[in-house]
Amino acid sequence: MTDLRQGGIAILDFGSQYTQLIARRVREQGVYAEVFACDADADKIDMHQPRGYILSGSPHSVYEPDAPQLPAHLLATGKPIFGICYGMQALTHALGGVVAPAQTREYGAAIIMHTGGDNPLFNGLQPEINVWMSHGDRIEQPPPGFVALALSDGSPFAAMGDPARGYYGVQFHPEVRHTAQGTQILRNYLFDVCGCEAKWSPAAFIDDAVSAIRAQVGDARVLLALSGGVDSAVAGALLNKAIGERLIAVFVNTGMLRKDEPEQVVQVFHDEQHINLIAVDATEDFLDALRGVTDPEQKRKIIGKQFIDTFAAQARHLEADFGDLRFLAQGTIYPDVIESAGSSKKSRVIKSHHNVGGLPDDLHFELVEPLRDLFKDEVRAVGTALGLPDSVVWRQPFPGPGLAVRCLGELTWERLETLRHADAIFREELERQGLLRTGTAQSFAVLLPVKTVGVMGDNRTYEEVIALRSVTTDDFMTADWARLPYEVLARASSRIVNEVRGVNRVVYDITSKPPGTIEWE
Protein backbone atom coordinates (compact mmCIF):
# COMPACT_ATOMS: atom_id res chain seq x y z
CA MET A 1 0.00 0.00 0.00
CA THR A 2 1.36 3.40 -1.01
CA ASP A 3 0.95 6.15 1.58
CA LEU A 4 -0.12 9.24 -0.38
CA ARG A 5 0.84 11.38 2.59
CA GLN A 6 4.53 10.60 2.19
CA GLY A 7 6.63 13.33 0.59
CA GLY A 8 4.09 16.12 1.01
CA ILE A 9 4.26 19.40 2.90
CA ALA A 10 4.03 20.00 6.66
CA ILE A 11 2.35 23.31 7.56
CA LEU A 12 3.10 24.80 10.99
CA ASP A 13 0.24 26.83 12.37
CA PHE A 14 1.22 29.92 14.34
CA GLY A 15 -2.41 31.00 14.73
CA SER A 16 -3.36 32.38 11.32
CA GLN A 17 -6.96 32.44 10.11
CA TYR A 18 -5.62 31.32 6.72
CA THR A 19 -3.74 28.17 7.81
CA GLN A 20 -6.33 25.70 6.51
CA LEU A 21 -6.52 27.70 3.31
CA ILE A 22 -2.77 27.18 2.78
CA ALA A 23 -3.30 23.43 3.06
CA ARG A 24 -6.19 23.52 0.60
CA ARG A 25 -4.16 25.51 -1.93
CA VAL A 26 -1.27 23.03 -1.69
CA ARG A 27 -3.60 20.07 -2.17
CA GLU A 28 -5.20 21.73 -5.18
CA GLN A 29 -1.79 21.23 -6.82
CA GLY A 30 -1.95 17.48 -6.14
CA VAL A 31 0.43 17.59 -3.16
CA TYR A 32 -0.64 16.33 0.27
CA ALA A 33 -0.44 18.96 3.02
CA GLU A 34 -0.95 18.47 6.74
CA VAL A 35 -1.36 21.13 9.44
CA PHE A 36 0.45 20.91 12.80
CA ALA A 37 0.54 23.21 15.80
CA CYS A 38 3.80 25.17 15.78
CA ASP A 39 4.81 23.48 19.05
CA ALA A 40 4.03 19.93 17.89
CA ASP A 41 6.58 17.20 18.55
CA ALA A 42 9.21 16.83 15.83
CA ASP A 43 8.49 13.14 15.26
CA LYS A 44 4.82 13.93 14.66
CA ILE A 45 5.56 16.73 12.17
CA ASP A 46 7.99 14.51 10.27
CA MET A 47 5.92 11.32 10.51
CA HIS A 48 5.12 11.34 6.79
CA GLN A 49 8.56 12.50 5.70
CA PRO A 50 7.57 15.89 4.23
CA ARG A 51 9.74 17.36 1.49
CA GLY A 52 9.39 20.84 2.92
CA TYR A 53 7.69 23.07 5.47
CA ILE A 54 5.41 26.10 5.28
CA LEU A 55 5.15 28.49 8.23
CA SER A 56 1.77 30.24 8.58
CA GLY A 57 0.92 33.79 9.57
CA SER A 58 -0.05 34.82 13.11
CA PRO A 59 -1.67 37.67 15.06
CA HIS A 60 1.49 37.88 17.23
CA SER A 61 4.64 39.96 16.92
CA VAL A 62 7.71 37.73 16.89
CA TYR A 63 9.65 39.86 19.40
CA GLU A 64 6.91 39.68 22.08
CA PRO A 65 7.87 37.60 25.17
CA ASP A 66 5.31 34.83 24.64
CA ALA A 67 5.23 34.85 20.83
CA PRO A 68 5.52 31.43 19.13
CA GLN A 69 8.95 30.75 17.67
CA LEU A 70 10.38 28.62 14.89
CA PRO A 71 10.99 25.04 16.11
CA ALA A 72 14.74 24.42 16.10
CA HIS A 73 14.42 20.95 14.62
CA LEU A 74 13.17 22.36 11.30
CA LEU A 75 16.55 23.96 10.64
CA ALA A 76 18.30 20.70 11.48
CA THR A 77 16.40 18.74 8.82
CA GLY A 78 18.09 20.58 5.94
CA LYS A 79 14.76 20.70 4.08
CA PRO A 80 13.23 23.77 2.40
CA ILE A 81 11.24 26.22 4.53
CA PHE A 82 8.73 28.79 3.25
CA GLY A 83 7.59 31.47 5.71
CA ILE A 84 4.37 33.39 5.02
CA CYS A 85 3.92 36.77 6.77
CA TYR A 86 4.59 35.96 10.45
CA GLY A 87 6.26 32.74 9.28
CA MET A 88 8.77 34.87 7.38
CA GLN A 89 9.38 36.94 10.50
CA ALA A 90 9.81 33.84 12.69
CA LEU A 91 12.35 32.47 10.21
CA THR A 92 14.19 35.82 10.21
CA HIS A 93 14.21 36.02 14.01
CA ALA A 94 15.50 32.45 14.41
CA LEU A 95 18.36 32.97 11.95
CA GLY A 96 19.65 36.25 13.36
CA GLY A 97 17.83 38.84 11.30
CA VAL A 98 15.94 41.86 12.64
CA VAL A 99 12.15 42.26 12.80
CA ALA A 100 10.63 45.55 13.98
CA PRO A 101 7.35 47.48 13.89
CA ALA A 102 6.78 49.05 10.49
CA GLN A 103 6.39 52.79 10.20
CA THR A 104 3.64 52.17 7.69
CA ARG A 105 1.51 49.09 8.26
CA GLU A 106 0.20 47.24 5.23
CA TYR A 107 -3.29 45.74 5.28
CA GLY A 108 -5.18 44.74 2.16
CA ALA A 109 -4.22 45.16 -1.48
CA ALA A 110 -0.64 46.11 -2.32
CA ILE A 111 1.80 45.87 -5.21
CA ILE A 112 5.22 44.25 -5.03
CA MET A 113 8.09 44.32 -7.51
CA HIS A 114 10.27 41.24 -7.60
CA THR A 115 13.92 41.54 -8.48
CA GLY A 116 14.13 38.78 -11.08
CA GLY A 117 17.44 36.95 -11.44
CA ASP A 118 18.01 33.33 -10.47
CA ASN A 119 14.97 33.11 -8.22
CA PRO A 120 12.88 29.92 -8.40
CA LEU A 121 10.12 31.31 -6.15
CA PHE A 122 9.09 33.96 -8.71
CA ASN A 123 10.01 32.01 -11.82
CA GLY A 124 7.58 32.71 -14.68
CA LEU A 125 5.83 35.61 -12.92
CA GLN A 126 5.35 39.17 -14.07
CA PRO A 127 7.74 41.69 -12.42
CA GLU A 128 4.83 43.56 -10.81
CA ILE A 129 2.40 41.49 -8.71
CA ASN A 130 -0.85 42.45 -6.96
CA VAL A 131 -0.79 40.86 -3.50
CA TRP A 132 -2.70 40.83 -0.21
CA MET A 133 -0.85 42.16 2.82
CA SER A 134 -1.78 41.88 6.51
CA HIS A 135 1.08 42.96 8.78
CA GLY A 136 2.24 45.64 11.19
CA ASP A 137 5.86 44.41 11.45
CA ARG A 138 8.47 44.12 8.75
CA ILE A 139 11.96 42.76 8.11
CA GLU A 140 14.57 45.47 8.80
CA GLN A 141 17.59 43.24 8.24
CA PRO A 142 17.44 39.75 6.74
CA PRO A 143 19.52 36.92 8.21
CA PRO A 144 22.99 36.16 6.84
CA GLY A 145 22.81 34.44 3.45
CA PHE A 146 19.43 35.98 2.52
CA VAL A 147 18.83 38.44 -0.31
CA ALA A 148 15.82 40.63 -1.11
CA LEU A 149 13.59 39.05 -3.76
CA ALA A 150 10.81 41.65 -3.83
CA LEU A 151 9.85 44.99 -2.32
CA SER A 152 6.70 47.05 -1.76
CA ASP A 153 6.08 50.65 -0.75
CA GLY A 154 6.09 49.64 2.92
CA SER A 155 8.44 46.65 2.90
CA PRO A 156 12.00 46.69 1.55
CA PHE A 157 11.95 42.90 2.02
CA ALA A 158 8.46 41.97 0.80
CA ALA A 159 10.10 38.66 -0.17
CA MET A 160 13.51 37.23 0.64
CA GLY A 161 15.37 34.01 0.09
CA ASP A 162 18.44 31.93 0.66
CA PRO A 163 18.36 29.69 -2.44
CA ALA A 164 21.37 27.66 -1.30
CA ARG A 165 19.41 26.33 1.68
CA GLY A 166 15.95 26.49 0.13
CA TYR A 167 14.73 29.06 2.68
CA TYR A 168 12.19 31.62 1.48
CA GLY A 169 9.83 34.14 3.02
CA VAL A 170 7.09 36.45 1.74
CA GLN A 171 5.42 39.27 3.65
CA PHE A 172 2.14 38.81 1.78
CA HIS A 173 -0.37 35.93 1.59
CA PRO A 174 -0.02 33.85 -1.61
CA GLU A 175 -2.80 31.49 -0.46
CA VAL A 176 -5.63 34.05 -0.78
CA ARG A 177 -7.36 34.79 -4.07
CA HIS A 178 -6.53 38.48 -3.77
CA THR A 179 -2.87 37.66 -4.52
CA ALA A 180 -3.08 37.42 -8.30
CA GLN A 181 -0.22 34.97 -8.93
CA GLY A 182 -0.20 33.34 -5.51
CA THR A 183 -0.94 29.87 -6.86
CA GLN A 184 2.10 30.03 -9.14
CA ILE A 185 4.30 31.10 -6.23
CA LEU A 186 3.10 28.10 -4.23
CA ARG A 187 3.63 25.81 -7.24
CA ASN A 188 7.17 27.08 -7.65
CA TYR A 189 7.91 26.31 -4.02
CA LEU A 190 6.29 22.86 -4.14
CA PHE A 191 7.80 21.60 -7.37
CA ASP A 192 10.90 23.67 -8.12
CA VAL A 193 12.19 24.13 -4.58
CA CYS A 194 10.90 21.04 -2.72
CA GLY A 195 10.68 18.59 -5.63
CA CYS A 196 7.22 17.34 -4.65
CA GLU A 197 5.18 15.00 -6.86
CA ALA A 198 1.54 15.68 -7.79
CA LYS A 199 0.06 12.37 -6.65
CA TRP A 200 -2.84 13.50 -4.41
CA SER A 201 -6.11 12.95 -6.34
CA PRO A 202 -9.59 11.55 -5.58
CA ALA A 203 -8.94 8.32 -7.47
CA ALA A 204 -5.58 7.77 -5.77
CA PHE A 205 -7.12 8.58 -2.40
CA ILE A 206 -9.91 6.02 -2.91
CA ASP A 207 -7.46 3.23 -3.72
CA ASP A 208 -5.29 4.15 -0.73
CA ALA A 209 -8.26 4.46 1.65
CA VAL A 210 -9.80 1.14 0.60
CA SER A 211 -6.51 -0.62 1.34
CA ALA A 212 -6.20 1.18 4.69
CA ILE A 213 -9.76 0.26 5.73
CA ARG A 214 -9.23 -3.39 4.88
CA ALA A 215 -5.95 -3.45 6.78
CA GLN A 216 -7.54 -1.87 9.86
CA VAL A 217 -10.77 -3.87 10.16
CA GLY A 218 -9.76 -7.24 8.73
CA ASP A 219 -12.81 -9.54 8.63
CA ALA A 220 -14.78 -7.60 11.27
CA ARG A 221 -18.05 -5.72 10.80
CA VAL A 222 -18.19 -1.93 10.93
CA LEU A 223 -21.06 0.15 12.30
CA LEU A 224 -21.69 3.53 10.65
CA ALA A 225 -23.85 6.39 11.93
CA LEU A 226 -25.36 7.61 8.65
CA SER A 227 -26.94 11.06 8.82
CA GLY A 228 -27.51 11.54 5.10
CA GLY A 229 -25.10 14.50 5.05
CA VAL A 230 -22.18 14.66 2.65
CA ASP A 231 -19.46 13.47 5.04
CA SER A 232 -21.19 10.39 6.41
CA ALA A 233 -22.55 9.57 2.95
CA VAL A 234 -19.11 9.54 1.33
CA ALA A 235 -17.68 7.62 4.29
CA GLY A 236 -20.44 5.03 3.80
CA ALA A 237 -19.80 4.71 0.07
CA LEU A 238 -16.05 4.31 0.68
CA LEU A 239 -16.58 1.68 3.39
CA ASN A 240 -19.07 -0.14 1.18
CA LYS A 241 -16.46 -0.31 -1.58
CA ALA A 242 -13.89 -1.63 0.90
CA ILE A 243 -15.85 -4.21 2.93
CA GLY A 244 -19.27 -4.55 1.28
CA GLU A 245 -21.90 -6.37 3.34
CA ARG A 246 -19.78 -6.22 6.50
CA LEU A 247 -20.76 -2.55 6.75
CA ILE A 248 -23.91 -1.88 8.79
CA ALA A 249 -25.25 1.67 8.50
CA VAL A 250 -27.77 3.00 11.02
CA PHE A 251 -29.89 5.98 9.97
CA VAL A 252 -31.95 7.64 12.69
CA ASN A 253 -34.87 9.78 11.52
CA THR A 254 -35.25 12.34 14.29
CA GLY A 255 -38.22 14.08 12.68
CA MET A 256 -36.03 17.17 12.31
CA LEU A 257 -34.87 16.54 8.73
CA ARG A 258 -35.70 18.51 5.60
CA LYS A 259 -38.58 17.62 3.30
CA ASP A 260 -38.29 14.12 1.79
CA GLU A 261 -34.77 13.53 3.19
CA PRO A 262 -35.56 10.33 5.15
CA GLU A 263 -36.98 8.75 2.01
CA GLN A 264 -34.02 9.96 -0.08
CA VAL A 265 -31.50 8.42 2.34
CA VAL A 266 -33.19 5.02 2.10
CA GLN A 267 -33.49 5.23 -1.68
CA VAL A 268 -29.88 6.25 -2.30
CA PHE A 269 -28.08 4.09 0.23
CA HIS A 270 -30.27 0.99 0.40
CA ASP A 271 -31.86 0.81 -3.03
CA GLU A 272 -29.11 2.33 -5.21
CA GLN A 273 -25.84 1.85 -3.29
CA HIS A 274 -26.99 -1.49 -1.82
CA ILE A 275 -25.61 -0.67 1.61
CA ASN A 276 -26.81 -2.77 4.54
CA LEU A 277 -29.00 -0.01 6.01
CA ILE A 278 -31.11 0.03 9.14
CA ALA A 279 -33.53 2.98 9.16
CA VAL A 280 -35.01 3.89 12.54
CA ASP A 281 -37.96 6.29 12.74
CA ALA A 282 -37.62 7.84 16.19
CA THR A 283 -39.69 10.95 15.47
CA GLU A 284 -42.18 10.42 18.30
CA ASP A 285 -39.43 9.82 20.85
CA PHE A 286 -37.67 13.06 19.91
CA LEU A 287 -40.86 15.11 19.91
CA ASP A 288 -41.86 13.73 23.31
CA ALA A 289 -38.43 14.60 24.75
CA LEU A 290 -38.60 18.13 23.32
CA ARG A 291 -42.17 18.96 24.32
CA GLY A 292 -42.37 22.43 25.86
CA VAL A 293 -38.65 23.18 25.40
CA THR A 294 -37.79 26.55 23.85
CA ASP A 295 -34.18 27.21 24.93
CA PRO A 296 -31.87 26.46 21.95
CA GLU A 297 -29.00 25.03 23.99
CA GLN A 298 -31.39 22.75 25.89
CA LYS A 299 -32.83 21.59 22.57
CA ARG A 300 -29.35 20.65 21.36
CA LYS A 301 -28.54 18.71 24.53
CA ILE A 302 -31.84 16.82 24.50
CA ILE A 303 -31.48 15.90 20.83
CA GLY A 304 -27.86 14.81 21.36
CA LYS A 305 -28.80 12.57 24.30
CA GLN A 306 -31.84 11.14 22.51
CA PHE A 307 -29.72 10.35 19.46
CA ILE A 308 -27.11 8.59 21.58
CA ASP A 309 -29.80 6.56 23.36
CA THR A 310 -31.41 5.57 20.05
CA PHE A 311 -28.11 4.72 18.36
CA ALA A 312 -26.84 2.79 21.41
CA ALA A 313 -30.03 0.72 21.50
CA GLN A 314 -29.53 -0.26 17.86
CA ALA A 315 -25.87 -1.07 18.50
CA ARG A 316 -26.83 -3.42 21.35
CA HIS A 317 -29.41 -5.17 19.15
CA LEU A 318 -26.80 -5.64 16.45
CA GLU A 319 -24.26 -7.01 18.94
CA ALA A 320 -26.87 -9.50 20.11
CA ASP A 321 -27.36 -10.60 16.49
CA PHE A 322 -23.78 -10.55 15.22
CA GLY A 323 -21.58 -10.69 18.30
CA ASP A 324 -19.01 -8.08 19.29
CA LEU A 325 -18.90 -5.00 17.04
CA ARG A 326 -15.39 -3.58 17.34
CA PHE A 327 -15.49 -0.73 14.84
CA LEU A 328 -17.51 2.47 14.60
CA ALA A 329 -17.15 4.59 11.44
CA GLN A 330 -17.54 8.37 11.38
CA GLY A 331 -17.56 10.99 8.67
CA THR A 332 -14.89 13.05 10.44
CA ILE A 333 -13.09 15.34 7.99
CA TYR A 334 -9.83 17.24 8.30
CA PRO A 335 -11.19 20.58 9.59
CA ASP A 336 -12.91 18.57 12.37
CA VAL A 337 -9.59 16.97 13.29
CA ILE A 338 -7.78 20.31 13.48
CA GLU A 339 -10.65 21.96 15.37
CA SER A 340 -11.08 19.11 17.85
CA ALA A 341 -7.39 18.68 18.59
CA GLY A 342 -6.68 22.38 19.03
CA SER A 343 -3.05 21.52 19.75
CA SER A 344 -0.86 18.66 18.63
CA LYS A 345 -0.30 17.77 22.26
CA LYS A 346 -3.98 17.10 22.93
CA SER A 347 -5.53 13.68 22.47
CA ARG A 348 -7.89 12.89 19.64
CA VAL A 349 -11.55 13.35 20.48
CA ILE A 350 -14.89 12.53 18.88
CA LYS A 351 -16.64 15.72 17.93
CA SER A 352 -20.07 16.06 19.49
CA HIS A 353 -21.66 17.27 16.26
CA HIS A 354 -21.19 13.79 14.80
CA ASN A 355 -23.72 12.66 17.42
CA VAL A 356 -21.84 9.55 18.57
CA GLY A 357 -19.68 11.09 21.29
CA GLY A 358 -20.57 9.97 24.82
CA LEU A 359 -21.73 6.45 24.00
CA PRO A 360 -22.37 4.22 27.06
CA ASP A 361 -19.39 2.47 28.65
CA ASP A 362 -20.57 -0.99 27.59
CA LEU A 363 -20.06 -0.08 23.93
CA HIS A 364 -16.34 -0.19 23.19
CA PHE A 365 -15.56 0.95 19.66
CA GLU A 366 -12.39 1.52 17.72
CA LEU A 367 -12.86 4.44 15.35
CA VAL A 368 -12.68 4.15 11.57
CA GLU A 369 -12.40 7.62 10.02
CA PRO A 370 -11.60 7.18 6.32
CA LEU A 371 -12.08 10.89 5.50
CA ARG A 372 -10.06 12.42 8.31
CA ASP A 373 -7.38 13.63 5.86
CA LEU A 374 -9.82 15.45 3.54
CA PHE A 375 -11.29 18.93 3.25
CA LYS A 376 -14.95 19.35 2.30
CA ASP A 377 -14.26 20.05 -1.37
CA GLU A 378 -12.09 16.92 -1.51
CA VAL A 379 -14.86 14.90 0.15
CA ARG A 380 -17.24 16.01 -2.59
CA ALA A 381 -14.74 15.04 -5.30
CA VAL A 382 -14.32 11.59 -3.75
CA GLY A 383 -18.10 11.19 -3.48
CA THR A 384 -18.49 11.94 -7.18
CA ALA A 385 -15.70 9.49 -8.05
CA LEU A 386 -17.50 6.83 -5.97
CA GLY A 387 -20.69 7.33 -7.98
CA LEU A 388 -22.85 9.12 -5.43
CA PRO A 389 -25.57 11.32 -6.99
CA ASP A 390 -25.15 15.10 -7.07
CA SER A 391 -28.20 15.45 -4.80
CA VAL A 392 -26.10 13.87 -2.03
CA VAL A 393 -22.62 15.11 -2.94
CA TRP A 394 -23.70 18.75 -3.23
CA ARG A 395 -26.17 18.77 -0.34
CA GLN A 396 -25.70 21.96 1.62
CA PRO A 397 -24.56 21.81 5.27
CA PHE A 398 -27.24 20.93 7.78
CA PRO A 399 -26.87 21.22 11.56
CA GLY A 400 -26.81 18.05 13.66
CA PRO A 401 -30.01 18.97 15.57
CA GLY A 402 -31.64 19.66 12.20
CA LEU A 403 -34.73 21.84 11.94
CA ALA A 404 -34.90 22.06 15.72
CA VAL A 405 -32.46 25.00 15.62
CA ARG A 406 -34.35 26.64 12.75
CA CYS A 407 -37.76 26.31 14.37
CA LEU A 408 -37.46 28.97 17.05
CA GLY A 409 -39.67 28.57 20.09
CA GLU A 410 -41.61 25.42 20.96
CA LEU A 411 -41.24 22.39 18.70
CA THR A 412 -44.45 20.73 17.55
CA TRP A 413 -45.04 18.48 14.57
CA GLU A 414 -47.28 21.14 13.02
CA ARG A 415 -44.64 23.89 13.30
CA LEU A 416 -41.93 21.56 11.96
CA GLU A 417 -44.12 20.72 8.97
CA THR A 418 -44.70 24.43 8.35
CA LEU A 419 -40.96 25.06 8.36
CA ARG A 420 -40.23 22.00 6.24
CA HIS A 421 -42.67 23.17 3.56
CA ALA A 422 -41.37 26.76 3.50
CA ASP A 423 -37.74 25.60 3.42
CA ALA A 424 -38.46 23.27 0.49
CA ILE A 425 -40.05 26.10 -1.50
CA PHE A 426 -37.08 28.40 -0.92
CA ARG A 427 -34.59 25.73 -1.97
CA GLU A 428 -36.69 24.84 -5.02
CA GLU A 429 -36.58 28.46 -6.21
CA LEU A 430 -32.82 28.64 -5.70
CA GLU A 431 -32.32 25.33 -7.49
CA ARG A 432 -34.40 26.56 -10.42
CA GLN A 433 -31.93 29.43 -10.90
CA GLY A 434 -28.83 27.28 -10.32
CA LEU A 435 -28.09 29.10 -7.06
CA LEU A 436 -28.26 26.17 -4.66
CA ARG A 437 -25.01 24.55 -5.82
CA THR A 438 -22.79 27.38 -7.01
CA GLY A 439 -24.41 30.65 -6.01
CA THR A 440 -24.80 30.08 -2.28
CA ALA A 441 -22.99 28.09 0.39
CA GLN A 442 -25.91 27.61 2.77
CA SER A 443 -29.56 28.55 2.29
CA PHE A 444 -32.56 27.79 4.49
CA ALA A 445 -35.74 29.01 6.11
CA VAL A 446 -36.32 29.82 9.79
CA LEU A 447 -39.71 29.79 11.52
CA LEU A 448 -39.99 32.60 14.06
CA PRO A 449 -42.08 32.51 17.25
CA VAL A 450 -43.58 35.84 16.18
CA LYS A 451 -47.04 36.57 14.78
CA THR A 452 -47.88 39.53 12.57
CA VAL A 453 -51.04 41.02 11.18
CA GLY A 454 -51.79 40.44 7.53
CA VAL A 455 -54.60 40.62 5.03
CA MET A 456 -55.65 37.73 2.80
CA GLY A 457 -58.64 38.45 0.63
CA ASP A 458 -60.88 40.58 2.80
CA ASN A 459 -59.86 38.85 6.00
CA ARG A 460 -57.44 39.93 8.69
CA THR A 461 -54.82 37.29 9.54
CA TYR A 462 -52.53 36.89 12.53
CA GLU A 463 -49.92 34.29 11.65
CA GLU A 464 -46.23 33.37 11.95
CA VAL A 465 -43.18 34.75 10.14
CA ILE A 466 -40.65 32.91 7.96
CA ALA A 467 -37.12 34.34 7.72
CA LEU A 468 -35.01 33.31 4.73
CA ARG A 469 -31.23 33.01 5.14
CA SER A 470 -28.67 32.57 2.36
CA VAL A 471 -24.92 33.09 2.69
CA THR A 472 -21.75 32.91 0.64
CA THR A 473 -18.48 31.72 2.16
CA ASP A 474 -15.31 29.77 1.39
CA ASP A 475 -14.63 28.35 4.84
CA PHE A 476 -17.75 29.01 7.03
CA MET A 477 -15.51 30.83 9.53
CA THR A 478 -16.80 34.08 8.07
CA ALA A 479 -19.77 34.54 5.74
CA ASP A 480 -21.59 37.26 3.87
CA TRP A 481 -25.30 37.39 3.06
CA ALA A 482 -26.04 36.36 -0.50
CA ARG A 483 -27.20 39.12 -2.87
CA LEU A 484 -30.00 37.02 -4.35
CA PRO A 485 -31.93 38.36 -7.33
CA TYR A 486 -35.08 40.19 -6.26
CA GLU A 487 -37.17 38.01 -8.58
CA VAL A 488 -36.05 34.86 -6.74
CA LEU A 489 -36.88 36.34 -3.35
CA ALA A 490 -40.23 37.59 -4.66
CA ARG A 491 -41.24 34.18 -6.03
CA ALA A 492 -40.14 32.39 -2.85
CA SER A 493 -42.05 34.86 -0.67
CA SER A 494 -45.19 34.68 -2.79
CA ARG A 495 -45.21 30.90 -2.87
CA ILE A 496 -44.57 30.53 0.86
CA VAL A 497 -47.40 32.90 1.84
CA ASN A 498 -49.81 31.27 -0.63
CA GLU A 499 -48.86 27.62 -0.15
CA VAL A 500 -47.82 27.31 3.51
CA ARG A 501 -50.65 27.47 6.01
CA GLY A 502 -50.02 29.58 9.11
CA VAL A 503 -47.52 31.99 7.50
CA ASN A 504 -48.42 35.50 6.32
CA ARG A 505 -45.03 37.26 6.20
CA VAL A 506 -41.55 36.50 4.80
CA VAL A 507 -38.35 38.43 5.62
CA TYR A 508 -34.75 38.09 4.33
CA ASP A 509 -31.76 38.08 6.69
CA ILE A 510 -28.95 40.42 5.54
CA THR A 511 -26.61 39.87 8.50
CA SER A 512 -23.01 38.80 7.85
CA LYS A 513 -20.85 36.55 10.06
CA PRO A 514 -19.54 38.22 12.18
CA PRO A 515 -21.39 39.83 13.88
CA GLY A 516 -24.11 37.23 13.39
CA THR A 517 -23.83 33.47 13.03
CA ILE A 518 -25.01 31.50 10.02
CA GLU A 519 -27.68 29.64 12.01
CA TRP A 520 -30.17 31.53 14.14
CA GLU A 521 -29.87 29.30 17.21
Side-chain angles (χ1 to χ4, degrees):
M1 180 177 66
T2 301
D3 188 348
L4 295 177
R5 296 172 294 183
Q6 297 284 339
I9 295 293
I11 299 170
L12 272 67
D13 181 16
F14 289 90
S16 171
Q17 62 178 321
Y18 298 133
T19 301
Q20 291 192 34
L21 186 56
I22 298 171
R24 288 180 61 186
R25 294 291 178 257
V26 171
R27 292 193 189 182
E28 287 171 2
Q29 308 311 313
V31 175
Y32 180 72
E34 191 163 1
V35 175
F36 301 93
C38 60
D39 60 351
D41 294 334
D43 56 353
K44 184 171 184 179
I45 294 173
D46 293 334
M47 179 170 54
H48 297 121
Q49 300 174 7
R51 286 187 173 270
Y53 307 94
I54 294 179
L55 315 178
S56 83
S58 174
H60 298 280
S61 289
V62 74
Y63 45 77
E64 293 173 347
D66 297 326
Q69 302 297 330
L70 182 75
H73 92 273
L74 260 63
L75 300 175
T77 65
K79 296 179 180 179
I81 300 174
F82 183 29
I84 294 175
C85 198
Y86 181 90
M88 175 189 188
Q89 296 163 12
L91 184 62
T92 299
H93 190 70
L95 293 172
V98 178
V99 181
Q103 292 182 349
T104 303
R105 296 182 296 176
E106 292 180 300
Y107 292 99
I111 297 175
I112 67 167
M113 295 286 293
H114 72 85
T115 58
D118 186 14
N119 171 14
L121 198 64
F122 291 97
N123 185 37
L125 275 66
Q126 297 296 319
E128 189 174 282
I129 306 172
N130 294 318
V131 302
W132 188 260
M133 295 279 197
S134 181
H135 69 97
D137 297 331
R138 72 178 195 178
I139 310 302
E140 294 292 343
Q141 180 180 326
F146 280 77
V147 295
L149 301 179
L151 57 84
S152 70
D153 287 343
S155 299
F157 300 98
M160 66 178 193
D162 180 349
R165 290 185 286 181
Y167 293 166
Y168 294 91
V170 294
Q171 192 59 77
F172 55 91
H173 288 274
E175 71 274 18
V176 303
R177 297 299 189 195
H178 302 296
T179 296
Q181 300 181 71
T183 297
Q184 186 60 47
I185 293 171
L186 287 171
R187 284 185 59 84
N188 288 346
Y189 176 69
L190 298 175
F191 301 115
D192 297 343
V193 177
C194 296
C196 293
E197 297 178 43
K199 59 183 181 180
W200 181 260
S201 68
F205 170 81
I206 290 170
D207 292 341
D208 192 66
V210 165
S211 297
I213 291 168
R214 290 171 178 168
Q216 181 183 3
V217 307
D219 295 329
R221 289 183 172 85
V222 177
L223 186 62
L224 170 69
L226 182 67
S227 69
V230 178
D231 301 336
S232 69
V234 175
L238 194 56
L239 284 155
N240 190 46
K241 181 178 179 66
I243 61 174
E245 63 183 15
R246 287 186 287 116
L247 170 66
I248 304 172
V250 175
F251 166 64
V252 177
N253 179 8
T254 65
M256 313 293 160
L257 299 177
R258 288 171 287 201
K259 189 174 185 292
D260 299 329
E261 279 189 343
E263 295 79 10
Q264 289 170 0
V265 169
V266 173
Q267 178 185 338
V268 170
F269 296 99
H270 181 270
D271 300 346
E272 298 175 12
Q273 297 293 314
H274 307 296
I275 289 177
N276 186 6
L277 176 68
I278 297 173
V280 182
D281 188 351
T283 300
E284 293 297 331
D285 294 334
F286 279 84
L287 286 175
D288 287 345
L290 290 162
R291 186 171 287 115
V293 177
T294 59
D295 179 74
E297 189 58 29
Q298 193 177 357
K299 285 181 186 177
R300 291 177 181 273
K301 290 179 179 178
I302 291 171
I303 291 171
K305 182 181 183 304
Q306 190 66 40
F307 185 95
I308 289 168
D309 291 346
T310 305
F311 187 82
Q314 288 301 313
R316 291 191 185 98
H317 287 318
L318 291 168
E319 284 200 328
D321 293 338
F322 297 113
D324 183 37
L325 288 172
R326 284 181 51 204
F327 296 98
L328 173 67
Q330 287 194 152
T332 309
I333 65 174
Y334 196 47
D336 300 333
V337 175
I338 298 172
E339 197 176 293
S340 295
S343 166
S344 62
K345 298 184 184 299
K346 291 184 180 179
S347 59
R348 195 165 118 199
V349 296
I350 302 173
K351 287 199 71 176
S352 61
H353 71 236
H354 283 296
N355 295 320
V356 290
L359 285 170
D361 292 338
D362 63 311
L363 295 172
H364 304 286
F365 288 115
E366 181 180 336
L367 285 180
V368 180
E369 298 173 310
L371 307 179
R372 64 179 284 110
D373 290 328
L374 301 187
F375 287 100
K376 179 72 76 174
D377 52 344
E378 294 173 318
V379 172
R380 295 190 196 279
V382 168
T384 298
L386 287 167
L388 287 173
D390 284 353
S391 60
V392 172
V393 171
W394 291 98
R395 183 169 289 164
Q396 289 193 343
F398 192 57
L403 295 181
V405 296
R406 296 176 179 174
C407 187
L408 279 59
E410 184 176 2
L411 290 172
T412 65
W413 179 251
E414 291 73 23
R415 295 191 78 231
L416 284 167
E417 284 288 271
T418 297
L419 175 57
R420 233 186 302 270
H421 193 180
D423 181 75
I425 289 172
F426 184 38
R427 290 187 295 112
E428 283 171 12
E429 292 301 328
L430 292 174
E431 179 68 28
R432 184 173 294 156
Q433 298 299 316
L435 294 169
L436 201 58
R437 174 168 169 174
T438 59
T440 65
Q442 195 164 347
S443 302
F444 55 89
V446 179
L447 181 61
L448 305 183
V450 174
K451 289 191 174 183
T452 67
V453 174
V455 178
M456 291 187 177
D458 294 325
N459 298 317
R460 175 185 183 275
T461 63
Y462 190 57
E463 296 178 330
E464 290 186 301
V465 179
I466 285 287
L468 302 180
R469 177 75 158 147
S470 189
V471 301
T472 59
T473 179
D474 288 330
D475 54 18
F476 291 89
M477 296 167 61
T478 61
D480 195 11
W481 61 278
R483 274 63 170 177
L484 297 178
Y486 291 155
E487 315 85 72
V488 174
L489 290 172
R491 278 196 303 271
S493 174
S494 177
R495 284 191 59 194
I496 289 170
V497 170
N498 283 285
E499 297 176 28
V500 182
R501 287 187 176 275
V503 174
N504 69 356
R505 191 178 298 270
V506 176
V507 299
Y508 186 54
D509 182 353
I510 59 169
T511 311
S512 297
K513 175 189 178 183
T517 56
I518 294 178
E519 297 289 344
W520 276 49
E521 283 195 350

